[in-house]
Amino acid sequence: MGKDAGPEERPKWDNKAQYLLTCIGFAVGIGNVWRFPYLCQIYGGGAFLIPYLIALVFEGLPLLFLELAVGQRLRKGSVGVWKTINPVIGGVGIACLIVSFLVGVFYNTILAWVLWYFFHSFQEPLPWSTCPLNESRIDYNLECKKSTPVNYFWYRETLNITPDIEISGSVEWGMVICLASAWCIVYICFIKGIDSVGKAVYVTSTFPYLVLTIFLIRALTLPGATDGLLYLFTPDWQTLTNPRVWLDASTQIFFSLSVAFGGLISFSSYNEEKNNCERDAVLVGVINSATSIYASIPIFSILGFKATTAFNACKDENILALTNYFEFSDQNITLQNYDYWYEYLNTTYPEKFQSLSLRECDLQKLLKQSVSGTGLAFIVFTEAVISMPGSQVWAVLFFVMLFSLGLSSMFGNIEGVLAPLNELKLLPRWMPKELISAVICLISFLVALLFTLSSGNYWVEVFNGYVGSVPLLIIALFEIIGVIYFRGMKTFSDDIYIMTGRRPNIFWKACWMVISPLLLLVVFVAYVIVQAQTRPTYQAWNPDYEKFPETEEKLYPDWVFAIIILLCVVPVISIPLVALYQLLRGRFRKSSVGMELNPYDNDAFVTDTQEQKTQRA
Amino acid sequence: MLEKILLLLSLSLSVAEELCKPGVGEAYKVRFSIKTALGDQAYPWNKNEMFLFRAALAFAMRDFTNGEEFGVSDIHPCNETQRVSFWFVVTRPNTMDLVDKGTVEMAIKKSRNRINGAFLLTDKTLEFDGIYPTLAAPVSPDTPPWLIVFGVVMGAVSVGIIALLVYPLVQRKLKKNMDADDEDSDEETGVKTAENGANDGIYNSTFSDDERFTQM
């Protein structure tokens, strides 16, 4: 049953659980696992929770409630909803469509990377645990020796990355087939619209929690876990005075909840009208934040374990050097009495000691190595997994969890593309929805082939940093303005009364009318200022760099910079364009009404029906 | 007799001391890390273990040179420390000529596993200073395992897609066939009900004539 079939019967959720799981799955994504713990770490651990929760309450929940209410009441996708409220802001829906498409394209590439690692986790030993030999087979590959096997596997064997974004390199065939698999899996889940999505989310939304719990239990028993956790949660109250912290907390909440994509509006439009969307919004928002906090516990236990392992390895290296040099009996110096011997030898034989040039082993420094994003999942975590007994199992579980998290977010992106397309009536009516989904997946796959080039990772960073940020803020701002000022607070309160049985209380009203738009505006302006202060740079993996294995910081060339500007502007350009078009059309129509020589046209009724239309809407 | 033996012993000892000079000439340093390798089951280092070492090395030399009768007495250790590390040189059988470093190295490399095995140690815990272990070639199977997993996953997904696309079409065809059958039976029953229904109402005879005309 498609939306355009016969008497316009809208698809429905089988039950409330499907709807909630889909919304939660859309909100809870890979960012909850690899972005939030990083922010927590660099912004003073437990102290970061304060700006985070404040942002959730005053910015996240109002926006979420707004989108769910609007979709459920007007029972249309993101384009139809804004057209209904006022044709002038119809462009917001089109902006949602473009943003959902662009984000879907690069997000699924990340899932393709996760799939690649998943496929490679079924080997013994794990392929990222050892370096390959070089051509002469006498020694290890040079690039791998200088960095680490884990880095080598990610940058060379997975991405085959070029040293510069301008050097495109060639298409990586391994990555192409992983990308094709990712899109096929998205397609099979979306083949029957929300009928199949509703069933898929039973697995994709719940499985990550199961894996996180397993990891939690495993991680807490690893040595060094408590060091990691202490480091994560020890609050540093000083950071609260840094405005950057508040900015990052607000942006994190905003992007984490997946508002302004249009997907949430579509999902809630398939609900029955009398559904308590206020409770749903609060539930989804709270579960999203709770998941972030819950996920950071095993992540940081494992990071603590990794730091401890590296710390002990460093000490072992030094112990061996000392034992060999001073000809002590084997195992005289152990990890336990290392400090004593270190001090003793340093003071008794200073020159000899210095000549050894031992590495400085510092646990705090190792813990400070903070990583987020792909670095966390594909470099840091994979390295930790090698040291855990039963590595293959943990690697497989981890990558399946990441894939589930990302897949359930992809559903929201695809819905944000399909629903507006159907409403814009751009597609012929004879196309069944299976064919439409297939065409969308195919087009997205072809566009995403750009990211399978050797320079693909740099492009994903470009898209991630610029498409998934500024346009969303603008869209969200216009959404609030559209509902509160175009539809009117009174009408909207009536809508909510019809749906939930009571009007929104003073907290919601205050947020919608003043606090949230203000917060969004401040975040948007601050974001733009911060970005505009410095010329954007990227980290390049260049084996010929003199400080290799550190990444080289390079400036984006001008043509890439132009593309960045395009990516920020093109999605939102539809808002003013459509507004302009509607205003001109309205004025044009008013002037041409008198020119219509339609004999049956009674001018008296024309204005009446227009008023009736606006009253009904 | 006893004097001769004593003389020979002292000679050999002094010769050994001259031959085996740490860091000079054809001498190699070797390090044992027994406690690191074996933990609680570590054996103590004593003269017997030293004898085993000399015997193992003599074996390695014999094996490499294919028959030259090296003996335990041709391996001369010196500068033993409590690390358990010492230097040693190898002399040709029945002479005092030193065997060059290269030959010793190759002999050790060839029989490295056997020497390690004699002491229950590994390349890392029985270290010959300057002789690097040959790196184990990474195992590369013919079909990369990841392609197998990919094949399984994609196979399942493709079958699923085809099934989900074809199933409703098949159902529709079956339904059409069933509908066609139903229609036949419906026509019969339909006619019957019309007749039954006609009995309920007032039958207007004027129309029955019309029917005869339309049948033509």
Side-chain angles (χ1 to χ4, degrees):
Chain A
M1 268 191 290
K3 279 187 253 191
D4 291 338
E8 290 293 333
E9 210 190 296
R10 206 166 172 75
K12 282 197 318 205
W13 297 109
D14 287 342
N15 52 46
K16 186 77 183 291
Q18 278 187 3
Y19 164 63
L20 280 177
L21 282 176
T22 310
C23 287
I24 291 173
F26 186 24
V28 173
I30 303 186
N32 294 63
V33 166
W34 75 25
R35 180 91 183 134
F36 175 78
Y38 163 76
L39 286 176
C40 229
Q41 183 191 11
I42 61 170
Y43 286 135
F48 181 70
L49 289 178
I50 295 182
Y52 183 71
L53 291 173
I54 290 179
L56 172 69
V57 166
F58 287 105
E59 186 192 344
L61 291 181
L63 274 172
L64 202 51
F65 187 14
L66 190 109
E67 284 214 349
L68 293 184
V70 143
Q72 195 175 295
R73 176 76 183 103
L74 299 176
R75 319 197 64 67
K76 292 205 166 91
S78 56
V79 161
V81 149
W82 303 114
K83 256 196 196 162
T84 312
I85 290 183
N86 193 319
V88 165
I89 54 165
V92 175
I94 300 178
C96 286
L97 164 67
I98 301 177
V99 168
S100 289
F101 175 72
L102 289 174
V103 170
V105 163
F106 85 78
Y107 202 80
N108 219 22
T109 310
I110 298 178
L111 289 188
W113 293 337
V114 172
L115 262 189
W116 167 276
Y117 269 84
F118 168 71
F119 291 150
H120 280 85
S121 302
F122 287 94
Q123 285 172 285
E124 163 70 22
L126 289 170
W128 54 80
S129 57
T130 50
C131 277
L133 300 177
N134 61 12
E135 292 100 35
S136 55
R137 319 216 75 186
I138 301 179
D139 198 3
Y140 293 119
N141 180 300
L142 182 64
E143 186 182 348
C144 186
K145 247 184 28 155
K146 280 207 217 167
S147 56
T148 59
V150 179
N151 274 321
Y152 179 78
F153 185 76
W154 168 236
Y155 285 110
R156 190 54 50 213
E157 297 197 22
T158 306
L159 299 173
N160 195 13
I161 205 164
T162 53
D164 196 304
I165 195 174
E166 299 204 78
I167 309 169
S168 294
S170 56
V171 169
E172 294 300 309
W173 292 107
M175 202 39 69
V176 170
I177 64 178
C178 286
L179 189 68
S181 322
W183 278 111
C184 282
I185 296 178
V186 169
Y187 177 59
I188 193 179
C189 292
F190 225 91
I191 204 167
K192 300 234 171 276
I194 65 161
D195 292 325
S196 48
V197 164
K199 309 227 174 7
V201 290
Y202 283 126
V203 173
T204 60
S205 294
T206 52
F207 186 70
Y209 290 97
L210 179 65
V211 174
L212 276 177
T213 311
I214 296 176
F215 264 109
L216 182 73
I217 299 173
R218 171 73 256 217
L220 286 177
T221 56
L222 288 171
T226 36
D227 290 311
L229 283 178
L230 269 174
Y231 189 75
L232 170 69
F233 285 119
T234 313
D236 175 16
W237 305 106
Q238 285 286 57
T239 57
L240 291 183
T241 55
N242 177 6
R244 195 64 202 272
V245 176
W246 296 87
L247 175 65
D248 275 346
S250 311
T251 41
Q252 171 63 14
I253 270 292
F254 179 73
F255 297 132
S256 178
L257 283 172
S258 307
V259 292
F261 278 92
L264 286 172
I265 298 181
S266 284
F267 287 144
S268 68
S269 70
Y270 302 132
N271 267 335
E272 13 179 275
E273 196 159 356
K274 301 230 184 290
N275 174 48
N276 191 347
C277 51
E278 178 181 1
R279 203 185 48 196
D280 295 339
V282 173
L283 202 61
V284 170
V286 166
I287 290 182
N288 179 50
S289 295
T291 309
S292 292
I293 299 174
Y294 186 59
S296 53
I297 302 179
I299 296 284
F300 265 86
S301 307
I302 291 176
L303 287 181
F305 161 72
K306 179 175 177 296
T308 306
T309 312
F311 180 55
N312 286 342
C314 174
K315 284 207 284 193
D316 275 333
E317 223 180 87
N318 288 352
I319 288 176
L320 192 63
L322 286 172
T323 316
N324 287 350
Y325 188 81
F326 288 102
E327 305 286 1
F328 289 130
S329 177
D330 188 27
Q331 288 297 318
N332 222 357
I333 312 180
T334 61
L335 287 173
Q336 283 76 30
N337 56 26
Y338 171 81
D339 296 315
Y340 161 73
W341 277 106
Y342 193 88
E343 283 309 309
Y344 172 73
L345 290 171
N346 201 1
T347 41
T348 336
Y349 308 102
E351 321 84 36
K352 288 191 189 171
F353 198 80
Q354 295 307 321
S355 70
L356 278 175
S357 49
L358 295 174
R359 252 197 331 163
E360 185 75 40
C361 296
D362 185 358
L363 183 62
Q364 291 305 314
K365 198 159 148 228
L366 287 167
L367 281 171
K368 266 201 179 62
Q369 287 171 353
S370 48
V371 214
S372 77
T374 53
L376 177 67
F378 300 128
I379 298 180
V380 168
F381 203 85
T382 45
E383 194 166 345
V385 150
I386 301 174
S387 321
M388 289 160 69
S391 328
Q392 281 78 9
V393 172
W394 304 113
V396 166
L397 273 179
F398 179 67
F399 292 118
V400 173
M401 175 187 80
L402 279 188
F403 191 74
S404 302
L405 285 170
L407 190 63
S408 49
S409 299
M410 275 305 291
F411 295 152
N413 285 325
I414 301 288
E415 180 66 24
V417 172
L418 279 179
L421 270 182
N422 275 325
E423 291 182 338
L424 285 172
K425 307 223 191 305
L426 289 172
L427 303 161
R429 299 200 72 174
W430 51 265
M431 278 179 105
K433 64 173 185 275
E434 290 90 347
L435 188 55
I436 300 176
S437 314
V439 168
I440 296 294
C441 287
L442 185 64
I443 295 177
S444 306
F445 167 69
L446 292 174
V447 173
L449 284 178
L450 159 73
F451 302 121
T452 57
L453 291 172
S454 295
S455 55
N457 188 31
Y458 301 132
W459 287 106
V460 170
E461 291 297 323
V462 167
F463 271 65
N464 192 12
Y466 297 103
V467 167
S469 60
V470 171
L472 288 174
L473 287 167
I474 298 178
I475 292 174
L477 208 54
F478 276 99
E479 282 189 356
I480 292 194
I481 293 175
V483 170
I484 299 307
Y485 295 106
F486 279 87
R487 189 158 177 78
M489 197 64 226
K490 183 167 184 316
T491 326
F492 193 52
S493 300
D494 290 338
D495 290 332
I496 295 180
Y497 177 68
I498 294 173
M499 292 192 290
T500 66
R502 55 173 190 280
R503 294 177 195 283
N505 58 32
I506 188 73
F507 166 71
W508 295 117
K509 285 200 182 138
C511 282
W512 287 326
M513 296 185 76
V514 178
I515 304 180
S516 301
L518 203 63
L519 263 176
L520 274 179
L521 199 60
V522 166
V523 167
F524 172 63
V525 168
Y527 203 88
V528 169
I529 290 178
V530 164
Q531 295 286 345
Q533 265 174 353
T534 54
R535 186 83 191 277
T537 59
Y538 65 103
Q539 302 291 345
W541 179 261
N542 185 3
D544 298 323
Y545 185 44
E546 67 248 1
K547 284 204 234 157
F548 187 77
E550 279 177 31
T551 47
E552 186 181 353
E553 191 165 338
K554 290 190 179 175
L555 287 173
Y556 280 122
D558 287 330
W559 61 279
V560 175
F561 196 65
I563 293 182
I564 291 176
I565 303 287
L566 267 177
L567 284 175
C568 289
V569 167
V570 161
V572 291
I573 200 93
S574 58
I575 303 180
L577 279 181
V578 167
L580 210 62
Y581 171 69
Q582 290 290 346
L583 286 172
L584 287 175
R585 197 158 153 244
R587 211 175 297 166
F588 200 64
R589 195 191 276 150
K590 280 209 191 114
S591 60
S592 69
V593 154
M595 307 272 276
E596 269 178 23
L597 297 174
N598 187 347
Y600 296 103
D601 188 26
N602 187 343
D603 278 357
F605 285 114
V606 166
T607 39
D608 271 342
T609 44
Q610 267 186 356
E611 274 173 21
Q612 277 175 8
K613 265 194 206 150
T614 45
Q615 266 180 3
R616 236 184 283 130
Chain B
M1 185 63 190
L2 193 64
E3 293 159 349
K4 273 195 199 155
I5 295 170
L6 277 170
L7 194 63
L8 266 170
L9 261 173
S10 58
L11 256 175
S12 65
L13 271 170
S14 57
V15 158
E17 277 174 19
E18 282 177 20
L19 288 173
C20 175
K21 284 201 204 111
V24 174
E26 318 293 333
Y28 265 110
K29 182 165 185 181
V30 62
R31 261 187 227 107
F32 283 73
S33 309
I34 308 172
K35 282 218 195 90
T36 312
L38 301 171
D40 288 334
Q41 311 201 333
Y43 46 80
W45 183 261
N46 51 32
K47 288 203 205 94
N48 302 331
E49 306 290 342
M50 178 58 91
F51 182 82
L52 178 59
F53 176 77
R54 293 163 77 191
L57 219 55
F59 159 76
M61 294 305 300
R62 282 198 191 200
D63 194 37
F64 180 69
T65 54
N66 243 341
E68 263 187 66
E69 303 233 334
F70 284 90
V72 169
S73 48
D74 294 314
I75 317 290
H76 310 275
C78 60
N79 278 59
E80 202 177 314
T81 66
Q82 43 160 352
R83 167 74 178 83
V84 192
S85 70
F86 50 87
W87 293 83
F88 68 92
V89 289
V90 183
T91 54
R92 293 224 170 265
N94 301 323
T95 64
M96 288 292 139
D97 304 325
L98 293 177
V99 178
D100 62 286
K101 259 188 138 171
T103 320
V104 175
E105 177 172 343
M106 285 196 279
I108 292 176
K109 267 194 178 157
K110 184 176 178 193
S111 309
R112 189 66 188 262
N113 275 344
R114 303 292 296 273
I115 303 176
N116 287 348
F119 287 97
L120 307 174
L121 296 173
T122 65
D123 281 348
K124 272 186 85 180
T125 40
L126 172 47
E127 216 187 315
F128 286 91
D129 220 4
I131 303 180
Y132 299 110
T134 42
L135 303 165
V139 179
S140 51
D142 296 324
T143 34
W146 76 273
L147 277 178
I148 300 174
V149 183
F150 161 76
V152 166
V153 169
M154 279 309 284
V157 169
S158 319
V159 164
I161 291 180
I162 294 174
L164 284 173
L165 287 175
V166 164
Y167 184 63
L169 292 172
V170 166
Q171 264 209 323
R172 227 181 286 167
K173 264 198 193 146
L174 281 175
K175 237 186 141 187
K176 263 194 204 153
N177 289 339
M178 284 206 325
D179 277 345
D181 293 336
D182 279 341
E183 269 170 25
D184 291 333
S185 53
D186 270 347
E187 273 173 11
E188 293 169 11
T189 50
V191 166
K192 285 192 193 135
T193 48
E195 285 183 346
N196 290 336
N199 291 331
D200 288 340
I202 305 167
Y203 183 63
N204 191 339
S205 51
T206 47
F207 285 113
S208 49
D209 294 332
D210 276 355
E211 270 181 35
R212 262 186 265 136
F213 288 155
T214 48
Q215 269 177 6
M216 271 167 60

